Amino acid sequence: MAYYPFLSNERSRVKALDVDLEELSTNPMYAEIIENAVRDIEGREHKTLDRDLAVMEFVVVRILLGIINDPPIEKAYIKRKSEEYRRSLEREDLSYLIKMAREEFGMDIRTEGGLRIHFTDFLKHKPEFLNLAQMELEGGYVSITKEQLVWILKDAIAKLIESLIPRERRFPSGLVAVARRIRLMKGRERAREAPRVKRLKEEALPPCIRSIIEEVEAGKSSHSANFVLATFLLGLGLKDDDVINIFKRSPKYKEKTTVYQIRFMRERGYTCPGCESIRSYGLCKWECKRKHPVSNYFLNLRSSKNERE
Amino acid sequence: MWLKKLFEGYYRGVREIPEPEAIHQREFGFGSFSKKINIRHRAFKSSRELLDYIKEEAPAHINYSTARYEFPAGSMEEKGWLGTDLVFDIDVGDLHLNHKHSEDWLCEICFEELKKETQKLLDFLMNDFGFSRKELLVNFSGSRGYHVRIEDKRVLELDERARREICSYLGAEASIKDMITERDGMIFGPKPSQGGLKGRIARKVIEEIRKSKIEDRERIAMEIEKGNWGAFPRGYGIGRIREVAENTGVRIPVDSKVTTDTTHMIRLPETLHGGSSLLARVVGNLDQFDPMRECFVFDGEETSVRFLREIPNIVAMGEEFGPFTADKTEIPRFLAAYMAAHGWCVVEE
């Protein structure tokens, strides 16, 4: 059986091991754990540690992510780890998965008459490719397969890991230095990779975004439309002020709210939803045959032979 | 203003207002006869405190947040969202009825259709979503539809995306293409015994076939019961069969904006609607409910009015009135309030 350090009994073992975090961050005996945690956060190959060390490593990873406090780094780590766990969970027995769903995540799962999950748990954790409208829903329960349960668990695990990252507390000084190193490295990496648009070329906008801008200008845009537009513009690499200027076109523009929300989205690292989600929000009625509005913008730029900024 | 005085008089006599669960965590908003909400971010500790305010102000519209907040009187950024009830709004405007009367008018058929759709919604919520009838709080919206609210703890945490999924389900936005497929010359489709939309669509198609005059209809219905949708008569290719499934009318036209917006404000049940003067009455037995009989609260004293437009026949409180021409006449006070709130007449005081 694979090892799942996020399980509550594993986490409570950390307490039983009684390791002082300050000592852990400075004692060379634990250097292997820290090195492994760093490699894990950076997405590099890392060793499979034995159970006691692995549970400690999970603590270190969470503390490091708490110190780094960088949403994109956090998001990338959680995405990668939850996918790793999903692949492991695929190999587990159904009874083990049901136990985990019920006991760790409080999901309401029924097994009589087939595997079923309460629709609220399904909606909270379902992957994008599953839609309630296509599922069999009866008496409040959605019929699912074992594979679908694994996907649902993947989302629950991702949310659990995120909730376990410590926020605003005193961190062991040894780990603060390690975190600084990761942040620096990731920051450089991001600066190399991130798209940079200095000025928006409206002719390259995907039709859904163009339509949302028209709605903004008419003062008729919905919350989800505003969210898509803001994350799209941030995703292009525009500065906050340039994003805010687009929203200023709305007759209902509110300076305080807009500035707060744009900053909040940037700080939290919200990314623009993909085309499938945008369609499900009822904001897309076009057939671009593209997957994401941000890449669509750059492809449009390229195909119209405009110079990429 | 005549209507304002009527509202004041009505609220003076009100002894209690049914309070939404966790009233102290709700934001309240009040409106005038010209604007539905012009005061927001108000909070009350109890229904008693709220009623005192209502008696004092007699607002034309009383709305509360479907959301619960830590600090309901704070600005949106400060409120601290705790969860939102699951709410549905069925409005006559979303039914796309082909009536000859003007859009702002509701005839008896409009009211009947509204009830039918609301019954359908309750059926979905009970059979598919597993709520008991007791958990479904139904009230007349006070004007053009019905509200259905669910305060169950399990729905509170659902985010906008999850609520949109529920709307898609009610709107039967399942892909018929995936549901009805062709393989080795056979056409497979959903069975009536299946749960969810699949079963609903299959059951509806079978019902329609049995009612139709298609030759061999009983055999076709029995084949569909087994999932064999290729039993339709000649001329029905997969495209046409999908069309039949698509047009079953299983969908329910809920206003998805109301359901998905987790900060939405909705009319407080058992309060007056400033745009109609009707009471947003809580509905027990929907079958028996008639808003044009049960939601008038004012008496029948003869009132002089001058109509500003022509008004067709109207049945109110079990009596037929009109038609009215743009002229002076006397009508009962409850009807005068209804007409005046809509802006169709002025009261000659």
Side-chain angles (χ1 to χ4, degrees), chain B residues 85-314:
Chain B
D85 301 335
L86 188 56
V87 178
F88 302 97
D89 177 15
I90 292 201
D91 186 276
V92 74
D94 295 319
L95 303 191
H96 304 296
L97 298 170
N98 257 340
H99 288 167
K100 281 181 186 153
H101 55 68
S102 63
E103 269 183 34
D104 59 355
W105 183 256
L106 265 78
C107 66
E108 284 172 69
I109 299 164
C110 294
F111 281 115
E112 271 314 304
E113 288 297 320
L114 272 170
K115 246 163 73 167
K116 235 192 263 174
E117 293 301 325
T118 310
Q119 291 283 24
K120 257 167 72 182
L121 171 65
L122 298 184
D123 177 58
F124 263 78
L125 294 173
M126 289 192 283
N127 290 314
D128 296 20
F129 289 87
F131 294 107
S132 67
R133 177 62 184 87
K134 240 181 169 174
E135 289 172 297
L136 305 174
L137 311 169
V138 184
N139 68 277
F140 177 57
S141 72
S143 176
R144 301 165 56 81
Y146 288 92
H147 295 159
V148 178
R149 296 163 296 126
I150 299 163
E151 294 175 342
D152 184 288
K153 284 197 172 57
R154 294 206 274 194
V155 303
L156 294 183
E157 282 177 28
L158 296 177
D159 61 12
E160 292 195 3
R161 194 184 121 203
R163 286 162 204 262
R164 200 168 293 115
E165 283 277 323
I166 294 173
C167 291
S168 299
Y169 186 92
L170 296 172
E173 288 170 23
S175 171
I176 299 282
K177 239 180 169 177
D178 296 335
M179 235 185 245
I180 301 170
T181 54
E182 198 167 15
R183 219 169 40 241
D184 305 327
M186 302 268 289
I187 298 175
F188 299 96
K191 296 176 196 169
S193 56
Q194 282 181 283
L197 288 172
K198 288 177 187 165
R200 280 186 180 272
I201 288 171
R203 288 193 292 275
K204 189 74 186 170
V205 167
I206 289 171
E207 186 191 316
E208 294 296 325
I209 288 171
R210 287 203 165 117
K211 270 199 279 185
S212 75
K213 289 189 175 139
I214 300 179
E215 207 180 309
D216 225 4
R217 55 188 172 272
E218 192 48 42
R219 189 189 62 81
I220 298 169
M222 281 165 71
E223 285 301 316
I224 293 178
E225 277 176 2
K226 290 186 267 179
N228 173 18
W229 285 57
F232 273 89
R234 288 189 94 181
Y236 277 82
I238 188 159
R240 201 164 160 200
I241 293 175
R242 281 176 178 156
E243 229 169 78
V244 170
E246 194 102 51
N247 297 329
T248 47
V250 164
R251 72 174 61 97
I252 300 168
V254 291
D255 182 344
S256 59
K257 273 187 192 151
V258 172
T259 306
T260 55
D261 181 4
T262 52
T263 59
H264 192 76
M265 305 275 278
I266 199 162
R267 185 169 310 281
L268 185 69
E270 297 291 315
T271 62
L272 297 173
H273 189 303
S276 72
S277 84
L278 297 179
L279 193 70
R281 178 89 72 192
V282 170
V283 180
N285 184 344
L286 186 58
D287 275 338
Q288 310 278 312
F289 187 74
D290 176 7
M292 291 305 273
R293 183 187 284 274
E294 294 172 54
C295 298
F296 288 103
V297 296
F298 302 114
D299 62 25
E301 196 175 298
E302 288 293 294
T303 306
S304 293
V305 297
R306 184 165 46 83
F307 280 99
L308 303 171
R309 56 173 251 185
E310 288 185 0
I311 298 289
N313 281 19
I314 179 167

Side-chain angles (χ1 to χ4, degrees), chain B residues 323-340:
Chain B
F324 302 105
T325 50
D327 211 348
K328 276 187 189 178
T329 187
E330 290 212 329
I331 53 174
R333 180 142 46 201
F334 63 83
L335 193 59
Y338 181 75
M339 298 287 172

Side-chain angles (χ1 to χ4, degrees), chain A residues 32 66 75 86 150 162 213 235 245 287 301:
Chain A
E32 190 188 8
K75 241 178 152 180
R86 186 191 68 79
V150 169
E162 193 188 358
I213 293 179
N245 278 338
E287 295 292 342
L301 262 190

Side-chain angles (χ1 to χ4, degrees), chain A residues 108 118-120 123-124 126-127 130-141 223-224 257 260 280-281, chain B residues 77 127-131 154 157-158 161-162 164-166 169 173-175 178 194-198 261 263:
Chain A
D108 183 357
H118 194 262
F119 82 91
T120 49
L123 290 177
K124 275 179 214 159
K126 72 169 198 71
L130 288 181
N131 299 316
L132 186 66
Q134 284 169 318
M135 307 299 289
E136 284 193 31
L137 172 65
E138 215 168 359
Y141 292 84
H223 286 301
S224 40
T257 318
Y260 168 84
S280 79
Y281 301 163
Chain B
E77 290 82 31
N127 290 314
D128 296 20
F129 289 87
F131 294 107
R154 294 206 274 194
E157 282 177 28
L158 296 177
R161 194 184 121 203
R164 200 168 293 115
E165 283 277 323
I166 294 173
Y169 186 92
E173 288 170 23
S175 171
D178 296 335
Q194 282 181 283
L197 288 172
K198 288 177 187 165
D261 181 4
T263 59

